[in-house]
Amino acid sequence: MDERQLRQYLEFYQDLGMRDVYRRQTASPVVAASADPPPPPAVQDSFLTPELPLPELLPASDSLPKILEDIGDCKRCRLCEGRSKIVFGAGNPQSRLVFVGEGPGEEEDRQGLPFVGRAGQLLTQMIEGTARREGMKLLRQDVYICNVVKCRPPNNRTPEPDEMEICGQFLARQLRAIAPQAICALGGTAARALLGKKEGVTKLRGNWFKWNEIPVMVTYHPSYLLRAYNQGAKKEAWEDLKAVLHYVYD
Ligand code: URA
């Protein structure tokens, strides 16, 4: 088994919640494969003996409906206590581009849909406006949009690391099932979850990284852009989005 296969198996087991076959990364990325891949995790010798049949890496039956079914009436972390609806994700399940936000806000929690509040309206404008200006026919419904955590954190606080890790297995499965050409991480939480990066979004934005071989562009979260004192960042966010759209749709 070469290093790539070994890494894939370890990632697969990590998705299944088998924590003791890998060495925990400090930032607990969602099966991260960033620009600087982490060193191979420590493996228990007995786990990878040839006699043990290994499961398929990605079960052929995995799909967005199956993942949603597996989430069920989730009570895996404390975020279930305050939620009204689980916000799984929305858009084209065959999209070449996936946007990943942080977690549902009040309106998303009410409707069960991602990015439908003020930040969502701005995200829609950003996607459709940039596409139009760049001569592309692209609507919000053509891409897929989801979040790191599927339940609204109380008072819209940042999700805790354990919440991100628990829900991250579903995000990882969503991304694997969709297999987009690129991912756009909206804000620092999405960047941390996907890439394990500790740096702030101002440092990371505008750069390409990788999540399991899929290019990831980090940009500002639309909520950040709504604040009056961050208007200067809008131009940068538009540039980031332009780069993503050209990469995926040219
Ligand atoms: N902010 C997010 O990160 N996600 C949403 O769905 C809405 C607001």
Side-chain angles (χ1 to χ4, degrees), residues 208-228:
W208 287 104
F209 300 91
K210 278 198 169 172
W211 179 86
N212 287 296
E213 302 307 317
I214 301 175
V216 178
M217 167 65 79
V218 177
T219 194
Y220 294 108
H221 192 287
S223 301
Y224 177 89
L225 300 172
L226 282 172
R227 293 178 206 137

Side-chain angles (χ1 to χ4, degrees), residues 160-234:
E160 299 288 345
D162 63 326
E163 297 158 358
M164 282 166 58
E165 189 167 339
I166 292 165
C167 223
Q169 65 179 299
F170 298 115
L171 173 63
R173 284 177 61 189
Q174 281 176 298
L175 295 173
R176 282 169 191 250
I178 298 168
Q181 278 176 23
I183 297 166
C184 185
L186 300 167
T189 301
R192 227 170 1 265
L194 292 169
L195 307 169
K197 296 277 182 199
K198 287 197 236 67
E199 296 93 332
V201 73
T202 32
K203 187 110 183 269
L204 299 173
R205 64 139 293 270
N207 292 298
W208 287 104
F209 300 91
K210 278 198 169 172
W211 179 86
N212 287 296
E213 302 307 317
I214 301 175
V216 178
M217 167 65 79
V218 177
T219 194
Y220 294 108
H221 192 287
S223 301
Y224 177 89
L225 300 172
L226 282 172
R227 293 178 206 137
Y229 45 88
N230 291 332
Q231 291 308 295
K234 270 192 176 168

